[in-house]
Amino acid sequence: MSLPAHLQETFSPEEIQFIVENEPIKIFPRITTRQLARGRVGSVSDKSSSNQWRLITTDANNLNNMVAMQSTEVTLWLALLLKQQNKCSIIAPKWLTIKELDKSIQYEKKYLDRFSSIPWNWLVLCQLLFKRASDDFHDPVHELRSRIQDLREIRQLKVLKGLKHLNNSHLQLDNISILEINELRPFIVGIMDKLREIHSASESNDSSQANEDIDI
Amino acid sequence: MNIDIDDILADLDRDTTAVDHTQDNFTSDGNTTRLNTSLDYSISGELNGKIGRSSEIISPAEDFAQLMRCWRNERCSPELMPYPHYLMTRILRRIQEQMEHIENISMGFLEESMNQISHGSGNVTGDGDDEDDEFGMGRGNNVINNNNKLPLLCMEAELERVKFVIRSFIRCRLNKIDKYSLYLKQIEDDSMNFLPINELLSKEEMVYHEKHLSILLKLFNNSILRHMPPELQAINDTEGTLNMIEEPDWKKFVFIYIKEVKDDSTLDRNEFGKPCYTVTIEELNEIVELTIGGIYVMRYEIIRQLVLDQKAYLI
Amino acid sequence: MYYDIDDILADSAEIPCKFNYDIPGLGYLEGNPGKQINKNTKIQLPLWLARILAIIGGDSEGADENGDETNENDNLPFLEMQTPDFLSNKVINAIKTSPESLDLHSINSHFIELANKWIALFGDTDLANVIYDLTLARSIELNNHASSVALELASNKPDNSNKDSIYQDGNNINTPFLLSMDEFEKKIYKKSHNSYKDTKKWLFEP
């Protein structure tokens, strides 16, 4: 059972989300795990270990040493899971405030030939946080949302203008985000591959080669 | 440490442990569950050989990050990437141990709360659903009121996540093994290749590749080729105007991210003093500087070595 | 790619050819089975056949048999391919004038692929530049259509009765450009449209 065609040479947006979910984020735990093991002295030994996180993809140290309302850093998917269980609030990253977003928007408007350096996961991360942790923002979420939408539109327009620079050699696209890459990939790769084929067809000149072959 | 494959299988999918591994698991019975089990089996098979390698030195988190990179590179590259033998061995062993760990914890809860309905019921592998968007995040929607079960919930979710990546990784490789089966056969016979085929593929992928190819050739032969004159029976003619063997498109454009590697002697500096790798697109007589931290759309062949050396990631 | 169906279809496009020799037994190509085909006969042949006959032939033995001592025909291939209609000056000029409004599909359903073969055959750099510019210019237009999925999602009405058709999405139903795309363009359109659509869906999922 091999990979289905629609996932070959690209990712689904859900897979992009999966990739982003493996990155760290800061949280305020609402529970304390540090004392938990010690607090249950006398309980069966393997039960106390059942209160411990033992993970195989990330360091569980922070999880086993959570103190309520003391910020710590965990993997995003864990943060979202804890949030869902009401066990933490998520600290929105610095760039995801009205003030910082306005700066980014200004940068995007000022420099028409480059992207602002917001994190490469910006679109995915804010979408996830809006959806699953909207009560953790200090700024009103609808205002953040509309700024994110603005950012997205400005950047899309930039991409659109940049597409006429597609060529048969290469492109440099610094600060383009992971979701934007994935969204544009089929188009950019499809067209650039064809431009490359057209160019190299004119270089290769099959007929002279074939003639040489015949002469032998 | 000795790990019994059958135990792993039993945990991976309780309903299909009856599969006889000596028989041909890849026959065309169309039973996807069985195929799946075979895949799980095939990767677990690594456990026997290469166990006990430096897992103390490499942290699980690093290994998982590496697996994610392998998966993303594999998904984005036109060619089949070298199979990460040791990495997979370590990760599969951790999965196995983690499943036992979870099982033990669940058993503890089960004993503790015989009188109440518990959802840590011992079967931790979920329904084995193979949907592409199944990340194991959908479960546990009902808020659990018992703090003790929180780690368990996380560990189960984590397990589903790792299994998803491995599954997708292997499926992607199988797709390429199918697509390039004749090409792989060709490089198998060519000792000049940069990697011997048994390092490019896992042991189990080798078996799959060989069986798949023989089934395919049998099908070609039975359905058409044997009805043709001998001179038209070739399926691997490389002399004609068109190569019959499909090779990876080495020039295909890919998105890359240039990683920061400390103290790399192959690094140059561009005119602004920024560290960069210098590559040449020979066909166009162009020299391109790839600066650290940059994102580029490039022909695969140009940056292939950087990817293999982990100086650039496909994204 | 050996088993590429579009490549095979493009190869079947008919090319006007002119024979350089009298060739016995080939009359069936112009509907005269058993007869010979005469020198200077003009005939339409599929590209895959014309290509081979335009390369092979005209060896000295053949010339001797024809008793042609003037060497006028020496080393001439069996036939000469002539510029097909789909690459005539008229078409090239139309491409240069307004690539976006050209009905590529009606000129030839595999136009770009076919032009590419022609370029490779003759090392035609001028044609390569024209086709390069054409592909790029039209790709912008193609992308504009492929990426416009906003209305469909915003209205949130599942009124797309025919979801399989690439012409049935959002606000660009049956726009002339979509109908004018050749097979390569259609392929890219489908891929990129799906990508835009999936991304948008993910972003606006409740």
Side-chain angles (χ1 to χ4, degrees):
Chain A
M1 177 174 192
S2 73
L3 201 68
H6 70 277
L7 292 176
Q8 285 163 27
E9 290 165 3
T10 192
F11 295 96
S12 69
E14 289 79 9
E15 285 173 326
I16 297 296
Q17 176 187 336
F18 181 88
I19 290 167
V20 169
E21 280 172 348
N22 288 313
E23 284 169 28
I25 193 157
K26 285 210 163 101
I27 59 164
F28 281 124
R30 291 188 185 156
I31 49 170
T32 300
T33 52
R34 186 175 283 169
Q35 279 93 14
L36 212 63
R38 237 167 268 149
R40 290 176 63 99
V41 178
S43 60
V44 189
S45 64
D46 72 355
K47 213 189 290 165
S48 77
S49 80
S50 77
N51 295 324
Q52 291 271 317
W53 268 270
R54 198 187 93 171
L55 296 172
I56 56 174
T57 62
T58 173
D59 191 347
N61 200 30
N62 284 353
L63 286 166
N64 286 318
N65 286 293
M66 286 192 288
V67 176
M69 294 326 283
Q70 274 185 24
S71 77
T72 185
E73 196 174 69
V74 296
T75 313
L76 178 59
W77 69 265
L78 273 164
L80 292 172
L81 195 59
L82 291 176
K83 172 75 189 168
Q84 186 189 49
Q85 303 294 332
N86 240 330
K87 298 291 188 271
C88 78
S89 48
I90 296 176
I91 306 173
K94 246 200 184 137
W95 58 268
L96 191 43
T97 56
I98 289 178
K99 207 176 133 207
E100 290 298 314
L101 287 177
D102 280 341
K103 273 190 205 163
S104 299
I105 290 172
Q106 262 166 19
Y107 184 97
E108 297 282 1
K109 282 182 174 162
K110 192 171 166 194
Y111 300 99
L112 295 176
D113 59 339
R114 69 187 79 163
F115 294 123
S116 66
S117 60
I118 41 178
W120 75 312
N121 61 13
W122 69 280
L123 197 48
V124 180
L125 184 64
C126 66
Q127 215 61 30
L128 284 174
L129 295 185
F130 289 162
K131 224 184 278 180
R132 316 259 281 267
S134 57
D135 54 334
D136 289 344
F137 288 97
H138 294 301
D139 294 327
V141 172
H142 69 274
E143 287 195 32
L144 289 171
R145 228 185 243 282
S146 84
R147 276 165 179 79
I148 291 293
Q149 192 55 34
D150 287 351
L151 256 182
R152 164 118 171 116
E153 278 165 18
I154 299 169
R155 286 166 68 101
Q156 268 177 326
L157 218 62
K158 243 180 236 188
V159 167
L160 220 57
K161 280 188 183 149
L163 289 181
K164 61 171 176 286
H165 299 298
L166 292 190
N167 61 70
N168 60 330
S169 167
H170 70 282
L171 285 183
Q172 183 169 5
L173 293 166
D174 291 353
N175 290 326
I176 189 171
S177 79
I178 182 171
L179 193 67
E180 289 164 321
I181 289 175
N182 204 61
E183 179 180 36
L184 291 161
R185 187 192 325 260
F187 177 74
I188 290 184
V189 168
I191 297 299
M192 284 181 73
D193 275 339
K194 186 52 81 182
L195 294 178
R196 169 176 59 78
E197 281 170 29
I198 293 168
H199 180 86
S200 55
S202 71
E203 305 266 292
S204 69
N205 200 347
D206 276 359
S207 57
S208 64
Q209 271 177 4
N211 274 332
E212 280 163 27
D213 288 347
I214 301 302
D215 287 344
I216 298 168
Chain B
M1 190 186 319
N2 207 359
I3 290 171
D4 189 5
I5 297 302
D6 289 322
D7 283 348
I8 299 174
L9 269 182
D11 280 327
L12 284 175
D13 193 337
R14 286 170 188 282
D15 299 327
T16 52
T17 46
V19 173
D20 178 7
H21 302 307
T22 58
Q23 82 183 65
D24 184 358
N25 283 328
F26 298 98
T27 44
S28 54
D29 63 0
N31 186 332
T32 49
T33 324
R34 234 170 91 178
L35 270 175
N36 249 341
T37 313
S38 307
L39 293 191
D40 288 338
Y41 161 70
S42 68
I43 41 184
S44 318
E46 277 298 298
L47 291 172
N48 282 336
K50 291 159 180 165
I51 229 157
R53 283 273 306 208
S54 61
S55 55
E56 292 78 20
I57 306 163
I58 303 163
S59 78
E62 275 173 60
D63 266 350
F64 182 68
Q66 184 65 21
L67 176 68
M68 287 295 289
R69 263 174 245 136
C70 287
W71 173 56
R72 295 173 66 186
N73 280 346
E74 192 74 65
R75 286 286 293 270
C76 298
S77 79
E79 70 167 328
L80 185 70
M81 307 296 281
Y83 183 80
H85 294 273
Y86 292 120
L87 176 72
M88 287 297 280
T89 306
R90 289 195 299 271
I91 288 181
L92 290 167
R93 192 191 55 198
R94 279 190 205 115
I95 290 178
Q96 158 70 5
E97 288 169 359
Q98 186 76 340
M99 285 192 305
E100 282 166 12
H101 183 61
I102 289 175
E103 185 112 359
N104 286 340
I105 297 174
S106 315
M107 291 300 278
F109 281 129
L110 205 61
E111 280 168 32
E112 194 182 58
S113 53
M114 284 296 271
N115 52 350
Q116 70 186 66
I117 300 155
S118 162
H119 62 280
S121 64
N123 184 356
V124 295
T125 53
D127 51 8
D129 195 351
D130 204 26
E131 288 298 309
D132 300 312
D133 52 0
E134 175 65 53
F135 304 143
M137 289 296 288
R139 305 190 302 127
N141 273 335
N142 31 346
V143 175
I144 49 171
N145 43 21
N146 191 342
N147 276 354
N148 295 345
K149 284 182 185 147
L150 197 55
L152 186 67
L153 182 70
C154 292
M155 288 188 271
E156 286 179 11
E158 183 194 45
L159 204 53
E160 291 306 318
R161 291 178 68 88
V162 195
K163 281 158 73 177
F164 166 77
V165 181
I166 292 181
R167 212 152 44 202
S168 177
F169 179 56
I170 299 295
R171 289 175 68 180
C172 181
R173 293 179 59 83
L174 288 186
N175 175 254
K176 292 184 190 175
I177 292 171
D178 287 356
K179 190 170 164 194
Y180 301 128
S181 54
L182 285 170
Y183 171 72
L184 289 171
K185 183 76 195 152
Q186 189 188 32
I187 62 172
E188 196 177 336
D189 304 333
D190 178 8
S191 54
M192 295 300 284
N193 200 49
F194 87 108
L195 253 191
I197 190 153
N198 60 350
E199 282 186 41
L200 186 62
L201 302 185
S202 75
K203 223 170 16 180
E204 293 68 25
E205 285 169 344
M206 272 302 286
V207 174
Y208 172 82
H209 162 58
E210 275 160 15
K211 286 194 177 159
H212 175 264
L213 188 59
S214 86
I215 291 168
L216 189 69
L217 294 184
K218 214 180 274 176
L219 177 74
F220 281 167
N221 194 49
N222 288 343
S223 53
I224 176 112
L225 292 177
R226 67 193 172 97
H227 306 294
M228 310 270 270
E231 66 272 20
L232 291 181
Q233 286 182 3
I235 40 96
N236 57 356
D237 182 7
T238 54
E239 306 294 314
T241 41
L242 254 184
N243 189 346
M244 288 184 87
I245 298 181
E246 192 188 345
E247 265 192 50
D249 184 356
W250 300 104
K251 290 182 163 44
K252 190 165 185 58
F253 280 105
V254 289
F255 283 79
I256 50 162
Y257 171 78
I258 308 299
K259 198 192 155 213
E260 178 161 12
V261 181
K262 295 247 159 63
D263 303 325
D264 183 356
S265 59
T266 61
L267 268 177
D268 299 325
R269 294 211 168 258
N270 68 8
E271 52 183 318
F272 308 109
K274 281 190 181 166
C276 65
Y277 296 101
T278 309
V279 294
T280 311
I281 308 171
E282 277 176 28
E283 187 191 313
L284 305 175
N285 241 327
E286 264 183 48
I287 292 171
V288 183
E289 287 168 343
L290 305 170
T291 43
I292 298 284
I295 291 172
Y296 297 85
V297 186
M298 260 285 167
R299 297 160 184 233
Y300 179 69
E301 61 177 5
I302 308 285
I303 47 81
R304 177 173 183 247
Q305 199 54 48
L306 288 176
V307 172
L308 290 173
D309 294 343
Q310 301 193 28
K311 292 170 184 173
Y313 300 146
L314 299 180
I315 52 174
Chain C
M1 209 169 96
Y2 194 78
Y3 298 104
D4 182 357
I5 194 77
D6 283 315
D7 185 72
I8 294 168
L9 287 172
D11 246 353
S12 67
E14 296 203 330
I15 308 289
C17 301
K18 194 184 87 182
F19 275 86
N20 288 326
Y21 302 95
D22 297 335
I23 299 172
L26 271 191
Y28 68 88
L29 287 177
E30 52 171 353
N32 295 322
K35 305 273 172 54
Q36 74 166 7
I37 205 158
N38 295 321
K39 187 175 166 178
N40 290 333
T41 302
K42 287 188 181 174
I43 196 173
Q44 299 266 345
L45 291 177
L47 179 58
W48 60 265
L49 180 57
R51 176 171 36 212
I52 296 175
L53 296 177
I55 290 169
I56 308 178
D59 57 340
S60 46
E61 265 177 61
D64 286 343
E65 273 172 31
N66 287 339
D68 202 337
E69 292 298 323
T70 62
N71 275 353
E72 184 198 320
N73 285 346
D74 198 17
N75 281 330
L76 275 185
F78 285 125
L79 56 74
E80 245 163 52
M81 285 194 269
Q82 300 183 322
T83 308
D85 286 347
F86 59 82
L87 291 175
S88 65
N89 281 338
K90 210 177 113 200
V91 173
I92 300 295
N93 285 334
I95 290 177
K96 285 177 179 166
T97 325
S98 60
E100 294 93 346
S101 55
L102 201 65
D103 187 350
L104 222 50
H105 194 268
S106 76
I107 297 174
N108 189 291
S109 58
H110 291 82
F111 182 83
I112 293 176
E113 189 68 44
L114 203 47
N116 219 8
K117 286 172 182 291
W118 198 262
I119 292 166
L121 217 46
F122 297 98
D124 191 336
T125 326
D126 290 342
L127 182 61
N129 290 336
V130 172
I131 301 299
Y132 186 105
D133 293 343
L134 168 83
T135 308
L136 185 55
R138 287 177 63 91
S139 80
I140 308 296
E141 188 70 14
L142 184 156
N143 186 64
N144 288 342
H145 290 284
S147 61
S148 77
V149 277
L151 281 180
E152 179 195 358
L153 280 152
S155 63
N156 212 11
K157 272 182 242 159
D159 54 357
N160 284 10
S161 48
N162 188 358
K163 277 204 158 179
D164 289 335
S165 165
I166 65 166
Y167 305 120
Q168 289 286 329
D169 269 307
N171 53 346
N172 47 24
I173 296 171
N174 289 333
T175 55
F177 180 80
L178 293 189
L179 295 170
S180 80
M181 295 190 298
D182 91 334
E183 291 302 318
F184 160 74
E185 291 175 319
K186 276 192 201 169
K187 204 156 61 185
I188 301 295
Y189 176 87
K190 264 188 223 170
K191 275 190 180 179
S192 39
H193 181 65
N194 282 337
S195 185
Y196 287 119
K197 201 170 58 186
D198 291 348
T199 307
K200 199 149 249 172
K201 255 188 203 157
W202 183 87
L203 281 170
F204 290 97
E205 221 174 24

